[in-house]
Amino acid sequence: MTGPPSAGHSGVADPGRSTGSGAALPSLRESVAYVAALGKPGVPQVLTAARDRGRVAVQPRCGVAEHTGMRALLRFLEAEAAPDVLSLTIDSHTRLRRFEEAERLLGTRPQELNGYPLVAHGWRRARDLNEAVAAPLEVRHGSPEPQRLFDVAVAGGITSFEGGGISYNLPYSKEVPLAVSLAAWEHVDRRCGELAELGLVVDRELFGTLTAVLVPPSISLAVSVLEAVLAARAGVRCLSVAYPQGGHLEQDVAALTAIPVLAERYLPPGVTVHPVLHEFMGVFPRARRHAEDLILYGALVARLGRASKIITKTHQEAAGIPDVRANIEGVRLADRANSPLLDFLSVDEDRVREERRWILAEVAEIVGPVLEGRAGTSAAVAEAIVEGFADGTLDIPFSASRFARSQIVPRRDPEGAIRYLRAGALPLSAKSLRRHRDLLAGPRGSLPSAASLPAILLADINYFPSLFREEPEVRGEPEVRDASKVREEPE
């Protein structure tokens, strides 16, 4: 594609770094004008167009350290797989605001960086990436304090930014207080509001995937609701609510179709909300045919759940970082679910409706105490979130943070749906808790003992390899791999 020349970029293949970690950025108004002149739709427009056409937009994960490699990777993915949105996955040092270390490694040992150090490269190189492909870019990272990263991304013309003050803190960081990350993300969301007033709507994707391990749908959606309320109050006009595929068809479809209901219930008019499915984030089967079955299954779930977008996986997921060919094949395979030949596919609507009813009720029980009486002030909501995680009335399973209790113990019921075995101090009603207990007990009428719990949880985590009857020794066998690795991801 062609686009306007970047400020300071005269069309050379690899524009020099422009900012490092502290140089000046263009004004918001100049950045808005740049995106307008770029001549391609932003992520919000792509998602709306996909939704209106009744298809699911497809997006891979990808990120490498060096600029020329990143540029070539984006162009290759677009030429071979034509994804609707392309990713710029950020390295760990930048996520943790170690900008100088990221810049040092970029100049000495770039192979040690596990993603694209955007702040070190600078906003002119971000514009160069933007101009290299027709698809819009999203920044995916995992940073609890992303202000500088966001400002560089916006200056680079990037129109989607993933994360939130809860979901990009508690799964990744041990020592960052929630109040700090919530304040940092308020900066991002207020910037989005300023940009919207100038005419540029930035998609803010919320990371409901959380720790990606056995996440009950209602806690994923409850966290997203709280982040969405804060974002909307700060001025965000486009929100993508990402939900992680759990593996049970009706439960996953119910969760995706609950998102528009939650948006109408908790967000003001004028905020566009898109459901997004992250293909299964847990232990992937090792055999290629099994992994591809799971990828296609996820794409069908996204279609049946009327998601606006799916984030894809690859058949090399169990072995580590996939190569570029596997990434291309993953995008192509997921996009097959958009075929009109599959219009006959359906799901048991009665079971979905019943599951959705319970998910919505549980979300209301979790977020109600946080939001009630705090209609007018975001600071009060943020304070209530901090207090909620401190006393356990808000919680997520398997958190890395000392600011979450992690007293939730999830497990799969006999049909594979994810339930609360223990809900910690979540304010779920007795009726909701009884339903989880009954579904987990199943026909056996009994729950696991404390002694058997570790083995049961391990079996639940290995659900799909076990479903495909992959033996542990088979799963441990290395596969032949291409040497070129194409991405790291925060998830």
Side-chain angles (χ1 to χ4, degrees):
M1 67 164 292
T2 57
S6 303
H9 169 32
S10 58
V12 296
D14 182 12
R17 275 177 274 162
S18 54
T19 68
S21 59
L25 297 169
S27 69
L28 290 185
R29 192 174 298 279
E30 196 278 338
S31 296
V32 172
Y34 168 75
V35 173
L38 191 56
K40 67 179 186 181
V43 173
Q45 290 76 35
V46 167
L47 296 180
T48 297
R51 182 191 62 193
D52 292 347
R53 290 173 57 196
R55 67 182 297 275
V56 182
V58 182
Q59 177 180 352
R61 298 172 168 87
C62 59
V64 294
E66 293 182 290
H67 182 69
T68 52
M70 188 72 232
R71 193 176 194 274
L73 172 59
L74 293 175
R75 289 175 65 89
F76 195 45
L77 280 167
E78 182 159 271
E80 295 290 323
D84 299 272
V85 179
L86 280 162
S87 299
L88 208 57
T89 303
I90 305 302
D91 70 290
S92 297
H93 290 296
T94 301
R95 295 173 208 164
L96 298 174
R97 297 198 304 166
R98 297 196 292 254
F99 305 129
E100 292 181 358
E101 179 65 5
E103 191 164 3
R104 187 185 67 79
L105 286 173
L106 181 63
T108 55
R109 299 191 301 278
Q111 69 277 8
E112 294 185 13
L113 292 167
N114 61 352
Y116 186 79
L118 175 59
V119 173
H121 280 298
W123 58 274
R124 289 189 177 88
R125 283 187 172 177
R127 290 189 178 188
D128 184 60
L129 296 178
N130 231 333
E131 293 163 19
V133 290
L137 302 179
E138 176 181 60
V139 166
R140 312 176 61 81
H141 48 109
S143 175
E145 299 176 84
Q147 304 96 313
R148 181 68 181 173
L149 177 61
F150 177 79
D151 290 343
V152 174
V154 166
I158 288 165
T159 52
S160 183
F161 197 76
E162 188 188 40
I166 305 169
S167 60
Y168 260 13
N169 181 347
L170 299 184
Y172 297 120
S173 302
K174 181 178 179 180
E175 299 290 350
V176 178
L178 259 175
V180 171
S181 60
L182 289 168
W185 280 92
E186 183 182 14
H187 165 90
V188 168
D189 292 336
R190 290 199 179 282
R191 276 272 194 267
C192 288
E194 295 172 35
L195 289 163
E197 290 180 0
L198 293 171
L200 175 63
V201 175
V202 173
D203 171 56
R204 281 278 294 104
E205 183 172 325
L206 308 177
F207 188 64
T209 295
L210 299 175
T211 48
V213 182
L214 297 176
V215 178
S218 61
I219 196 62
S220 164
L221 295 177
V223 167
S224 289
V225 164
L226 295 175
E227 291 183 338
V229 167
L230 291 174
R233 289 183 179 185
V236 173
R237 290 293 172 264
C238 181
L239 284 162
S240 290
V241 177
Y243 165 79
Q245 181 188 6
H248 183 270
L249 176 62
E250 286 84 6
Q251 186 179 51
D252 288 336
V253 171
L256 284 170
T257 54
I259 290 170
V261 181
L262 293 169
E264 187 173 355
R265 184 176 293 176
Y266 292 103
L267 300 180
V271 179
T272 301
V273 174
H274 294 283
V276 171
L277 181 73
H278 283 204
E279 287 193 326
F280 188 65
M281 300 286 284
V283 178
F284 239 66
R286 177 163 288 274
R288 176 169 180 164
R289 64 187 186 282
H290 298 155
E292 290 179 339
D293 286 350
L294 182 51
I295 291 167
L296 181 59
Y297 175 46
L300 295 174
V301 169
R303 174 186 173 132
L304 291 167
R306 298 186 287 280
S308 296
K309 186 178 77 173
I310 186 169
I311 310 292
T312 60
K313 286 286 188 177
T314 79
H315 68 82
Q316 294 178 343
E317 213 61 42
I321 303 170
D323 59 44
V324 65
R325 179 54 58 186
N327 217 349
I328 288 168
E329 290 167 352
V331 172
R332 288 176 173 171
L333 180 56
D335 193 41
R336 299 287 287 273
N338 281 314
S339 170
L341 292 178
L342 299 176
D343 284 349
F344 65 91
L345 285 174
S346 63
V347 63
D348 186 331
E349 290 293 348
D350 289 339
R351 292 190 66 181
V352 169
R353 194 176 300 110
E354 175 70 1
E355 194 72 42
R356 183 170 57 238
R357 183 172 71 84
W358 282 99
I359 290 173
L360 291 170
E362 290 172 16
V363 172
E365 290 166 2
I366 295 169
V367 305
V370 180
L371 298 178
E372 284 168 6
R374 298 179 176 89
T377 146
S378 295
V381 173
E383 185 178 352
I385 290 171
V386 173
E387 292 173 355
F389 278 101
D391 64 23
T393 52
L394 293 172
D395 205 356
I396 65 173
F398 311 120
S399 174
S401 173
R402 68 183 184 88
F403 297 99
R405 291 196 173 193
S406 277
Q407 293 179 333
I408 295 173
V409 179
R411 78 155 303 194
R412 294 185 185 276
D413 71 14
E415 294 189 351
I418 300 172
R419 309 295 181 191
Y420 293 96
L421 177 62
R422 298 172 188 165
L426 290 181
L428 295 177
S429 67
K431 190 176 179 181
S432 294
L433 292 172
R434 185 166 55 251
R435 176 173 180 264
H436 284 272
R437 189 166 54 246
D438 292 347
L439 289 171
L440 285 172
R444 297 164 300 187
S446 62
L447 295 172
S449 66
S452 64
L453 192 55
I456 287 171
L457 288 178
L458 188 60
D460 284 347
I461 289 169
N462 286 295
Y463 179 70
F464 280 108
S466 299
L467 187 71
F468 287 113
R469 302 180 186 280
E470 290 189 357
E471 298 297 329
E473 60 271 21
V474 174
R475 295 203 303 272
E477 290 177 354
E479 288 189 337
V480 176
R481 298 283 304 280
D482 189 302
S484 59
K485 296 178 177 179
V486 299
R487 61 134 175 114
E488 278 282 7
E489 58 189 14
E491 298 89 340

mmCIF file of all heavy atoms in Angstrom, residues 149-178:
data_model
loop_
_atom_site.group_PDB
_atom_site.id
_atom_site.type_symbol
_atom_site.label_atom_id
_atom_site.label_comp_id
_atom_site.label_asym_id
_atom_site.label_seq_id
_atom_site.Cartn_x
_atom_site.Cartn_y
_atom_site.Cartn_z
ATOM 1 N N LEU A 149 4.308 3.895 26.334
ATOM 2 C CA LEU A 149 4.090 2.999 25.203
ATOM 3 C C LEU A 149 2.869 3.432 24.399
ATOM 4 O O LEU A 149 2.905 3.452 23.160
ATOM 5 C CB LEU A 149 3.905 1.563 25.717
ATOM 6 C CG LEU A 149 3.585 0.493 24.682
ATOM 7 C CD1 LEU A 149 4.720 0.369 23.663
ATOM 8 C CD2 LEU A 149 3.338 -0.854 25.378
ATOM 9 N N PHE A 150 1.795 3.796 25.087
ATOM 10 C CA PHE A 150 0.585 4.231 24.387
ATOM 11 C C PHE A 150 0.853 5.513 23.599
ATOM 12 O O PHE A 150 0.424 5.644 22.443
ATOM 13 C CB PHE A 150 -0.549 4.458 25.385
ATOM 14 C CG PHE A 150 -1.804 4.981 24.749
ATOM 15 C CD1 PHE A 150 -2.668 4.133 24.083
ATOM 16 C CD2 PHE A 150 -2.115 6.338 24.794
ATOM 17 C CE1 PHE A 150 -3.821 4.609 23.475
ATOM 18 C CE2 PHE A 150 -3.256 6.823 24.190
ATOM 19 C CZ PHE A 150 -4.114 5.959 23.527
ATOM 20 N N ASP A 151 1.528 6.459 24.215
ATOM 21 C CA ASP A 151 1.771 7.738 23.530
ATOM 22 C C ASP A 151 2.600 7.535 22.264
ATOM 23 O O ASP A 151 2.339 8.167 21.232
ATOM 24 C CB ASP A 151 2.464 8.716 24.484
ATOM 25 C CG ASP A 151 1.543 9.198 25.608
ATOM 26 O OD1 ASP A 151 0.310 9.042 25.468
ATOM 27 O OD2 ASP A 151 2.059 9.697 26.625
ATOM 28 N N VAL A 152 3.600 6.644 22.318
ATOM 29 C CA VAL A 152 4.403 6.360 21.122
ATOM 30 C C VAL A 152 3.552 5.644 20.078
ATOM 31 O O VAL A 152 3.634 5.922 18.876
ATOM 32 C CB VAL A 152 5.642 5.525 21.494
ATOM 33 C CG1 VAL A 152 6.410 5.104 20.244
ATOM 34 C CG2 VAL A 152 6.563 6.314 22.423
ATOM 35 N N ALA A 153 2.709 4.726 20.530
ATOM 36 C CA ALA A 153 1.840 3.987 19.602
ATOM 37 C C ALA A 153 0.897 4.938 18.857
ATOM 38 O O ALA A 153 0.723 4.832 17.645
ATOM 39 C CB ALA A 153 1.042 2.931 20.367
ATOM 40 N N VAL A 154 0.292 5.851 19.593
ATOM 41 C CA VAL A 154 -0.622 6.810 18.961
ATOM 42 C C VAL A 154 0.130 7.688 17.967
ATOM 43 O O VAL A 154 -0.347 7.944 16.859
ATOM 44 C CB VAL A 154 -1.327 7.661 20.038
ATOM 45 C CG1 VAL A 154 -2.004 8.872 19.412
ATOM 46 C CG2 VAL A 154 -2.336 6.812 20.783
ATOM 47 N N ALA A 155 1.318 8.121 18.354
ATOM 48 C CA ALA A 155 2.114 8.935 17.429
ATOM 49 C C ALA A 155 2.456 8.152 16.160
ATOM 50 O O ALA A 155 2.622 8.729 15.089
ATOM 51 C CB ALA A 155 3.396 9.402 18.117
ATOM 52 N N GLY A 156 2.533 6.828 16.289
ATOM 53 C CA GLY A 156 2.807 5.986 15.135
ATOM 54 C C GLY A 156 1.580 5.662 14.314
ATOM 55 O O GLY A 156 1.677 4.931 13.324
ATOM 56 N N GLY A 157 0.422 6.172 14.712
ATOM 57 C CA GLY A 157 -0.799 5.947 13.948
ATOM 58 C C GLY A 157 -1.482 4.632 14.228
ATOM 59 O O GLY A 157 -2.310 4.172 13.437
ATOM 60 N N ILE A 158 -1.166 4.004 15.350
ATOM 61 C CA ILE A 158 -1.767 2.716 15.701
ATOM 62 C C ILE A 158 -3.135 2.954 16.329
ATOM 63 O O ILE A 158 -3.289 3.820 17.200
ATOM 64 C CB ILE A 158 -0.821 1.939 16.638
ATOM 65 C CG1 ILE A 158 0.381 1.463 15.812
ATOM 66 C CG2 ILE A 158 -1.529 0.761 17.295
ATOM 67 C CD1 ILE A 158 1.553 0.993 16.603
ATOM 68 N N THR A 159 -4.141 2.180 15.898
ATOM 69 C CA THR A 159 -5.525 2.496 16.253
ATOM 70 C C THR A 159 -6.175 1.458 17.167
ATOM 71 O O THR A 159 -7.393 1.452 17.314
ATOM 72 C CB THR A 159 -6.377 2.648 14.981
ATOM 73 O OG1 THR A 159 -6.200 1.484 14.155
ATOM 74 C CG2 THR A 159 -5.966 3.895 14.202
ATOM 75 N N SER A 160 -5.392 0.589 17.772
ATOM 76 C CA SER A 160 -5.943 -0.326 18.774
ATOM 77 C C SER A 160 -4.867 -0.628 19.795
ATOM 78 O O SER A 160 -3.703 -0.848 19.448
ATOM 79 C CB SER A 160 -6.434 -1.625 18.123
ATOM 80 O OG SER A 160 -7.030 -2.471 19.093
ATOM 81 N N PHE A 161 -5.262 -0.659 21.074
ATOM 82 C CA PHE A 161 -4.308 -0.811 22.172
ATOM 83 C C PHE A 161 -4.939 -1.736 23.203
ATOM 84 O O PHE A 161 -6.012 -1.456 23.743
ATOM 85 C CB PHE A 161 -4.017 0.562 22.778
ATOM 86 C CG PHE A 161 -2.784 0.639 23.635
ATOM 87 C CD1 PHE A 161 -1.516 0.674 23.059
ATOM 88 C CD2 PHE A 161 -2.880 0.693 25.003
ATOM 89 C CE1 PHE A 161 -0.380 0.768 23.845
ATOM 90 C CE2 PHE A 161 -1.751 0.792 25.807
ATOM 91 C CZ PHE A 161 -0.486 0.836 25.217
ATOM 92 N N GLU A 162 -4.276 -2.851 23.478
ATOM 93 C CA GLU A 162 -4.858 -3.857 24.373
ATOM 94 C C GLU A 162 -4.474 -3.629 25.831
ATOM 95 O O GLU A 162 -3.399 -3.127 26.126
ATOM 96 C CB GLU A 162 -4.382 -5.259 23.961
ATOM 97 C CG GLU A 162 -5.102 -6.373 24.723
ATOM 98 C CD GLU A 162 -4.507 -7.741 24.465
ATOM 99 O OE1 GLU A 162 -3.274 -7.846 24.384
ATOM 100 O OE2 GLU A 162 -5.279 -8.703 24.347
ATOM 101 N N GLY A 163 -5.370 -4.039 26.740
ATOM 102 C CA GLY A 163 -5.038 -4.061 28.153
ATOM 103 C C GLY A 163 -5.992 -3.297 29.035
ATOM 104 O O GLY A 163 -6.962 -2.706 28.564
ATOM 105 N N GLY A 164 -5.700 -3.318 30.337
ATOM 106 C CA GLY A 164 -6.509 -2.604 31.307
ATOM 107 C C GLY A 164 -5.835 -2.615 32.667
ATOM 108 O O GLY A 164 -4.887 -3.383 32.907
ATOM 109 N N GLY A 165 -6.304 -1.767 33.559
ATOM 110 C CA GLY A 165 -5.661 -1.591 34.855
ATOM 111 C C GLY A 165 -5.698 -2.812 35.744
ATOM 112 O O GLY A 165 -4.860 -2.969 36.633
ATOM 113 N N ILE A 166 -6.665 -3.694 35.524
ATOM 114 C CA ILE A 166 -6.731 -4.956 36.281
ATOM 115 C C ILE A 166 -6.098 -6.080 35.471
ATOM 116 O O ILE A 166 -5.219 -6.798 35.948
ATOM 117 C CB ILE A 166 -8.202 -5.320 36.605
ATOM 118 C CG1 ILE A 166 -8.906 -4.183 37.345
ATOM 119 C CG2 ILE A 166 -8.253 -6.608 37.428
ATOM 120 C CD1 ILE A 166 -10.415 -4.361 37.455
ATOM 121 N N SER A 167 -6.543 -6.210 34.220
ATOM 122 C CA SER A 167 -6.195 -7.392 33.431
ATOM 123 C C SER A 167 -4.763 -7.400 32.930
ATOM 124 O O SER A 167 -4.253 -8.460 32.547
ATOM 125 C CB SER A 167 -7.146 -7.506 32.234
ATOM 126 O OG SER A 167 -7.063 -6.357 31.408
ATOM 127 N N TYR A 168 -4.096 -6.249 32.906
ATOM 128 C CA TYR A 168 -2.685 -6.224 32.527
ATOM 129 C C TYR A 168 -1.790 -6.011 33.754
ATOM 130 O O TYR A 168 -0.607 -5.725 33.606
ATOM 131 C CB TYR A 168 -2.425 -5.128 31.491
ATOM 132 C CG TYR A 168 -2.345 -5.651 30.058
ATOM 133 C CD1 TYR A 168 -2.747 -6.940 29.728
ATOM 134 C CD2 TYR A 168 -1.844 -4.851 29.049
ATOM 135 C CE1 TYR A 168 -2.660 -7.409 28.429
ATOM 136 C CE2 TYR A 168 -1.751 -5.317 27.734
ATOM 137 C CZ TYR A 168 -2.156 -6.594 27.430
ATOM 138 O OH TYR A 168 -2.053 -7.063 26.133
ATOM 139 N N ASN A 169 -2.373 -6.147 34.931
ATOM 140 C CA ASN A 169 -1.563 -6.083 36.139
ATOM 141 C C ASN A 169 -1.576 -7.449 36.845
ATOM 142 O O ASN A 169 -0.549 -8.118 36.930
ATOM 143 C CB ASN A 169 -2.112 -4.990 37.071
ATOM 144 C CG ASN A 169 -1.295 -4.848 38.351
ATOM 145 O OD1 ASN A 169 -0.464 -5.700 38.662
ATOM 146 N ND2 ASN A 169 -1.523 -3.791 39.099
ATOM 147 N N LEU A 170 -2.725 -7.865 37.320
ATOM 148 C CA LEU A 170 -2.776 -9.037 38.202
ATOM 149 C C LEU A 170 -2.254 -10.333 37.576
ATOM 150 O O LEU A 170 -1.667 -11.158 38.286
ATOM 151 C CB LEU A 170 -4.216 -9.239 38.695
ATOM 152 C CG LEU A 170 -4.797 -8.063 39.504
ATOM 153 C CD1 LEU A 170 -6.178 -8.409 40.028
ATOM 154 C CD2 LEU A 170 -3.874 -7.684 40.662
ATOM 155 N N PRO A 171 -2.427 -10.576 36.272
ATOM 156 C CA PRO A 171 -1.866 -11.826 35.725
ATOM 157 C C PRO A 171 -0.349 -11.791 35.561
ATOM 158 O O PRO A 171 0.274 -12.840 35.445
ATOM 159 C CB PRO A 171 -2.550 -11.948 34.354
ATOM 160 C CG PRO A 171 -3.733 -11.061 34.417
ATOM 161 C CD PRO A 171 -3.329 -9.934 35.314
ATOM 162 N N TYR A 172 0.253 -10.580 35.501
ATOM 163 C CA TYR A 172 1.660 -10.478 35.090
ATOM 164 C C TYR A 172 2.595 -9.942 36.155
ATOM 165 O O TYR A 172 3.781 -10.235 36.126
ATOM 166 C CB TYR A 172 1.759 -9.536 33.877
ATOM 167 C CG TYR A 172 1.025 -10.014 32.659
ATOM 168 C CD1 TYR A 172 -0.003 -9.256 32.098
ATOM 169 C CD2 TYR A 172 1.349 -11.216 32.066
ATOM 170 C CE1 TYR A 172 -0.674 -9.693 30.968
ATOM 171 C CE2 TYR A 172 0.688 -11.666 30.948
ATOM 172 C CZ TYR A 172 -0.317 -10.902 30.407
ATOM 173 O OH TYR A 172 -0.987 -11.331 29.295
ATOM 174 N N SER A 173 2.123 -9.119 37.040
ATOM 175 C CA SER A 173 3.004 -8.365 37.923
ATOM 176 C C SER A 173 2.764 -8.753 39.371
ATOM 177 O O SER A 173 1.621 -8.880 39.800
ATOM 178 C CB SER A 173 2.766 -6.852 37.761
ATOM 179 O OG SER A 173 2.987 -6.477 36.422
ATOM 180 N N LYS A 174 3.846 -8.879 40.110
ATOM 181 C CA LYS A 174 3.712 -9.254 41.525
ATOM 182 C C LYS A 174 3.588 -8.042 42.420
ATOM 183 O O LYS A 174 2.831 -8.060 43.387
ATOM 184 C CB LYS A 174 4.937 -10.078 41.941
ATOM 185 C CG LYS A 174 4.883 -10.549 43.386
ATOM 186 C CD LYS A 174 6.098 -11.396 43.744
ATOM 187 C CE LYS A 174 6.041 -11.844 45.205
ATOM 188 N NZ LYS A 174 7.229 -12.662 45.565
ATOM 189 N N GLU A 175 4.327 -6.963 42.103
ATOM 190 C CA GLU A 175 4.479 -5.893 43.082
ATOM 191 C C GLU A 175 3.814 -4.569 42.711
ATOM 192 O O GLU A 175 3.924 -3.606 43.451
ATOM 193 C CB GLU A 175 5.972 -5.634 43.330
ATOM 194 C CG GLU A 175 6.742 -6.830 43.886
ATOM 195 C CD GLU A 175 6.363 -7.148 45.333
ATOM 196 O OE1 GLU A 175 5.659 -6.334 45.959
ATOM 197 O OE2 GLU A 175 6.767 -8.219 45.807
ATOM 198 N N VAL A 176 3.176 -4.484 41.546
ATOM 199 C CA VAL A 176 2.580 -3.201 41.150
ATOM 200 C C VAL A 176 1.205 -3.057 41.809
ATOM 201 O O VAL A 176 0.288 -3.840 41.539
ATOM 202 C CB VAL A 176 2.425 -3.104 39.621
ATOM 203 C CG1 VAL A 176 1.771 -1.786 39.233
ATOM 204 C CG2 VAL A 176 3.779 -3.248 38.940
ATOM 205 N N PRO A 177 1.033 -2.063 42.682
ATOM 206 C CA PRO A 177 -0.280 -1.889 43.326
ATOM 207 C C PRO A 177 -1.365 -1.588 42.295
ATOM 208 O O PRO A 177 -1.121 -0.905 41.293
ATOM 209 C CB PRO A 177 -0.052 -0.686 44.253
ATOM 210 C CG PRO A 177 1.424 -0.629 44.463
ATOM 211 C CD PRO A 177 2.037 -1.108 43.183
ATOM 212 N N LEU A 178 -2.549 -2.078 42.564
ATOM 213 C CA LEU A 178 -3.655 -1.862 41.633
ATOM 214 C C LEU A 178 -3.943 -0.370 41.437
ATOM 215 O O LEU A 178 -4.291 0.059 40.331
ATOM 216 C CB LEU A 178 -4.907 -2.569 42.154
ATOM 217 C CG LEU A 178 -5.248 -3.918 41.517
ATOM 218 C CD1 LEU A 178 -6.434 -4.540 42.229
ATOM 219 C CD2 LEU A 178 -5.515 -3.770 40.031
#
